[in-house]
Amino acid sequence: MKLKKVVGVLLALSMVLGMTACGGDDKGTEADSASKSEAASNSESDKTDDSEEETTLTMWSWSPITRTGEKMIEAFEKENPGIKIEFSYYNYDPEYLSALSAAAASDSLPDIIGLQPGSLTAQYAEYLMDYSDYAKEEWGDNWIDNYPEMIASQIQMGNKEGDDSHYILPVEAQIISLVYNKNVFEKYNLSEPTTYDEFKAVCDTLNENGVAPLFFGGSNGWQNVNVFTMLCSQLDTTMFDKAQAGEIKWTDPKMAEAMANFKLMFDDGIFQTGAMSADANTNGTPAFVSDSAAMMALGSWWCQEFTAEDPATTVANWDFGFFYLPPVGSATKAATPVGGIDFGYGITKNCKNPEAAWKAIKSFSSGAGIQACVDDVNNLPAFKGIEPKNTELNPELVEQYNSFSKDLDNAMNQRIGQPTIETALQNALAGVGSGELTPEEGCQAVQDAQDALS
């Protein structure tokens, strides 16, 4: 299977992040900016007999990155030669979100769309088909047990009360952690910190030597939320979900404590100078792979750098390690694994052949499609029991990757169910980080958005 050449200009970026993730996690390192690619097979072996009618499905997404998407679709089409997929790739924000919004307004959504759990799925639920019957027929009534408990709990996030439908089928998952550059740590004789005092001392040394300590892309809403959920997990692994459910207020003392600890990381020089105006993609990654930054708040999707066509030397040698955020400020324990569904796919009501679309997203979740993604270590498989079969991967990388998959079993949810709450939290964190809001004011702003939903 070969992809037709991209229509328009493909602007190559040396390194772009995503997760994903985790609003949207633009975590690719491909030449992905403002690009579209249409998947169509030119292989004679993939052609159907003249007597067979070929089905073409249209699919839009921001994830996985282009090279992985090509491999994923190729694997599916090889097993299903009668079905072709025309894949249009977008950067997440604003290209993908704008394209979805415009297509929904004009009733021209494609057959399959990429989704994040919670707010994005909720926003387009009325345009999506419930795939529950297909899943039950394929895997039985307990089909949801194929996913780790936390992943399963996110599938229906954002559904309106009384709506038991399933709109997003999980494809990849992620675990959020801190990634560190071993070369930088070795150069300054640093070790993985386990306490806040140790963490601050590491960052002080790096600041004194002109190296960005924990590079933070404060202009990216997903970076703010990812770090904040880490801080929440250090105090109470249930409070983030309880606040969303209205069981506690966002102004709860522990929530305000987490917000204060977020501000403390700026005040204590844990983040680099100018962190709130920095972009993780265009500023952070180049610094990180060139030894100008020591750490970044990323996670399991970072593994995909290794399979890029021309990776940086630090990536080719896999000079990276991972650890979970040490207890910050008033916290007494390190962050637990935080994460969940990175992305999944849904079938729109516009789809004229939902059976073929189901075959496709099923492959991308549990079959040849997701295996191709995993062999590219694009991110973690959401479906249980799938591991890389690529024998050319760095053994240490594989060990790290598999450890993240195990951590999914005990991870804390990072996703937000309602779009307005996601926006309010991102804005509040930006305000607190920049000093425009106090931690208490930031929490109140999110609670005001929560109250408006009542």
Side-chain angles (χ1 to χ4, degrees), residues 26-217:
D26 292 330
K27 302 186 288 286
T29 62
E30 297 286 294
D32 289 338
S33 294
S35 67
K36 287 185 178 183
S37 58
E38 295 182 356
S41 176
N42 294 323
S43 171
E44 291 297 324
S45 62
D46 283 349
K47 291 182 179 178
T48 58
D49 294 337
D50 292 340
S51 61
E52 294 183 22
E53 182 178 352
E54 184 176 283
T55 296
T56 298
L57 299 171
T58 53
M59 183 171 80
W60 294 2
S61 188
W62 79 99
S63 193
I65 56 176
T66 304
R67 73 167 189 270
T68 305
E70 292 177 353
K71 296 172 183 177
M72 178 183 74
I73 294 171
E74 181 177 17
F76 167 73
E77 290 187 350
K78 185 175 180 180
E79 289 192 342
N80 298 271
I83 305 174
K84 305 302 173 189
I85 295 179
E86 292 181 355
F87 177 54
S88 295
Y89 177 90
Y90 298 82
N91 278 343
Y92 184 85
D93 189 7
E95 290 86 358
Y96 184 62
L97 298 182
S98 298
L100 280 186
S101 179
S106 62
D107 194 26
S108 58
L109 285 167
D111 299 314
I112 299 170
I113 59 174
L115 297 165
Q116 286 181 334
S119 60
L120 186 62
T121 300
Q123 186 175 349
Y124 290 95
E126 64 181 291
Y127 302 98
L128 297 168
M129 188 189 81
D130 178 11
Y131 64 80
S132 300
D133 289 342
Y134 287 109
K136 290 177 182 178
E137 183 178 352
E138 181 68 30
W139 297 306
D141 290 342
N142 297 325
W143 65 271
I144 207 164
D145 292 343
N146 289 310
Y147 302 94
E149 183 177 347
M150 192 265 294
I151 299 294
S153 71
Q154 292 180 333
I155 295 176
Q156 292 181 308
M157 277 190 72
N159 279 23
K160 293 180 180 179
E161 187 174 354
D163 184 359
D164 292 328
S165 299
H166 296 89
Y167 302 113
I168 177 176
L169 187 68
V171 175
E172 291 188 341
Q174 61 188 23
I175 287 292
I176 313 300
S177 68
L178 300 188
V179 188
Y180 72 96
N181 184 319
K182 292 183 177 180
N183 295 329
V184 176
F185 268 52
E186 290 174 4
K187 181 176 181 178
Y188 298 105
N189 197 28
L190 303 174
S191 302
E192 293 182 17
T194 58
T195 67
Y196 187 63
D197 286 342
E198 292 175 359
F199 193 33
K200 188 175 182 305
V202 165
C203 294
D204 287 344
T205 297
L206 294 165
N207 281 319
E208 290 167 2
N209 286 278
V211 178
L214 176 56
F215 191 99
F216 183 69

Side-chain angles (χ1 to χ4, degrees), residues 237-388:
T237 57
T238 66
M239 69 179 186
F240 191 68
D241 285 339
K242 285 182 177 178
Q244 293 192 61
E247 297 175 15
I248 63 171
K249 291 185 178 295
W250 288 92
T251 52
D252 183 270
K254 284 188 177 180
M255 195 65 74
E257 188 178 352
M259 193 73 78
N261 289 342
F262 180 72
K263 181 62 168 63
L264 182 65
M265 295 178 74
F266 291 89
D267 296 340
D268 282 353
I270 304 299
F271 300 133
Q272 83 281 9
T273 302
M276 282 311 302
S277 61
D279 182 271
N281 300 342
T282 57
N283 307 133
T285 309
F288 190 41
V289 299
S290 63
D291 300 346
S292 297
M295 297 172 282
M296 289 191 73
L298 301 171
S300 53
W301 66 82
W302 183 250
C303 296
Q304 72 183 355
E305 305 299 312
F306 185 80
T307 54
E309 185 175 344
D310 187 24
T313 301
T314 49
V315 175
N317 294 334
W318 201 245
D319 296 323
F320 301 104
F322 299 81
F323 62 91
Y324 293 108
L325 181 67
V328 174
S330 55
T332 58
K333 64 177 184 179
T336 62
V338 173
I341 300 173
D342 179 20
F343 75 95
Y345 292 125
I347 303 171
T348 73
K349 293 177 180 177
N350 286 346
C351 183
K352 297 296 190 292
N353 193 335
E355 290 80 9
W358 167 252
K359 284 184 179 180
I361 67 172
K362 179 187 68 174
S363 174
F364 301 154
S365 180
S366 65
I370 187 59
Q371 187 64 58
C373 293
V374 169
D375 288 345
D376 217 37
V377 285
N378 180 249
N379 214 331
L380 309 175
F383 203 90
K384 291 178 181 177
I386 301 173
E387 295 185 358

